[in-house]
Amino acid sequence: MNKFKTIIVALLVISCASDDRETIIINNTNLLSEDLENRSIELNSVIACAASDSQNSNVVEIYFYSEEGASNFKLYETNSVTVDSGNFSNYRFVDLETSPFFNGFLDRFIRSSASEQWIIVTYELDGEIKISQPIRTKNVSQPTTYSNNVAINQDITTMPIFNWDINSDVDNAIFFQVMSTLDNGVLSGTYTLENQFQYYNTSNVVLNITEQIPPALTSGIPYKFTVMDVSSDNWVNAIFTLDFIAE
């Protein structure tokens, strides 16, 4: 799929199974600032966000887009949220493997922590290190909430309209919607500033990461709609998921 360098707050989140969780190894001597020395870098060029797991708020999932050809995915974190998030000397390397999410539509890291940190994701592409904006985890003070409280209007055949509540106008910056099959095959990925989306009407879409013209829904077939309420510091406040049968 085409990947975007434009930094926005975005997220797709589904709770992870316990088998996906790894033991975290933190290399205290390997700082982000040192890894960037004498390297060509591009700031704010990795779209990334994070959310707490639906069953265990001490588990945080970090989601990011990787451009085609990207490699050497890395995760860095600070000791606390009180440090300067813009100072790369405050970030230590966390040795974790990535895993595909939404059938590879996104990549993700999964980490366990009972505290909150700032997090940065990096990867390499064409000899350059791409760096995300800092992500402020809030798994202790504001765990991600999960709900299926999404209203659906199917008056227009195979073009359902979805509406959902905004938990807080102060915390919200953008919404990310994914229409998919029940087995997480992505049909469309869109961003709106409004708490409404119609498949497939892009009149209120501010960013569209759909690969191709999405297929029309088929009446009588089940689908899944997922929407993320994301804050300006890239924490996912809420996840709404609705399974429905197209009419």
Side-chain angles (χ1 to χ4, degrees):
M1 63 174 289
N2 292 328
K3 306 298 182 180
F4 292 80
K5 295 182 180 179
T6 305
I7 290 299
I8 61 172
V9 284
L11 131 59
L12 299 177
V13 180
I14 289 180
S15 60
C16 64
S18 58
D19 290 344
D20 291 332
R21 298 168 190 168
E22 303 180 32
T23 300
I24 293 179
I25 301 173
I26 298 179
N27 185 337
N28 290 296
T29 63
N30 197 355
L31 302 178
L32 176 56
S33 57
E34 296 173 345
D35 287 348
L36 299 180
E37 288 181 0
N38 302 316
R39 295 296 305 272
S40 175
I41 67 173
E42 183 178 2
L43 299 174
N44 301 336
S45 56
V46 178
I47 300 173
C49 63
S52 57
D53 180 73
S54 62
Q55 302 300 318
N56 183 356
S57 62
N58 287 336
V59 175
V60 174
E61 299 187 358
I62 301 96
Y63 300 88
F64 65 97
Y65 291 103
S66 58
E67 299 177 77
E68 185 175 355
S71 62
N72 200 19
F73 307 121
K74 289 186 177 182
L75 180 70
Y76 297 84
E77 67 176 24
T78 64
N79 287 323
S80 72
V81 295
T82 60
V83 301
D84 179 5
S85 63
N87 185 343
F88 293 155
S89 296
N90 291 325
Y91 290 86
R92 304 169 299 162
F93 172 61
V94 184
D95 191 3
L96 282 176
E97 295 294 326
T98 61
S99 60
F101 184 63
F102 263 102
N103 295 343
F105 190 69
L106 297 174
D107 293 292
R108 67 177 171 180
F109 292 103
I110 302 173
R111 59 182 287 279
S112 298
S113 178
S115 60
E116 299 182 347
Q117 292 90 12
W118 288 97
I119 286 175
I120 282 179
V121 175
T122 71
Y123 60 71
E124 294 187 34
L125 181 65
D126 298 330
E128 189 173 55
I129 297 180
K130 312 289 186 178
I131 306 170
S132 75
Q133 286 184 330
I135 303 167
R136 202 312 196 161
T137 64
K138 302 175 185 176
N139 52 301
V140 177
S141 60
Q142 187 183 320
T144 303
T145 62
Y146 290 77
S147 171
N148 62 358
N149 189 20
V150 178
I152 181 172
N153 181 328
Q154 298 201 73
D155 289 345
I156 302 177
T157 303
T158 68
M159 293 186 66
I161 301 173
F162 303 93
N163 290 272
W164 56 92
D165 291 333
I166 301 176
N167 287 353
S168 171
D169 289 326
V170 176
D171 288 335
N172 169 262
I174 203 167
F175 297 103
F176 179 45
Q177 307 90 22
V178 172
M179 183 71 76
S180 69
T181 59
L182 293 186
D183 60 356
N184 294 327
V186 174
L187 305 180
S188 70
T190 50
Y191 297 87
T192 67
L193 299 177
E194 301 173 353
N195 56 327
Q196 176 179 297
F197 174 73
Q198 181 179 23
Y199 186 89
Y200 181 68
N201 181 345
T202 59
S203 60
N204 69 334
V205 171
V206 295
L207 180 65
N208 192 340
I209 60 171
T210 308
E211 286 189 275
Q212 301 173 349
I213 297 175
L217 302 184
T218 302
S219 297
I221 298 297
Y223 296 93
K224 179 165 60 177
F225 177 74
T226 304
V227 60
M228 285 65 61
D229 176 332
V230 187
S231 66
S232 59
D233 51 14
N234 302 309
W235 178 250
V236 179
N237 302 312
I239 310 299
F240 301 91
T241 305
L242 177 69
D243 294 349
F244 68 99
I245 296 176
E247 297 180 358

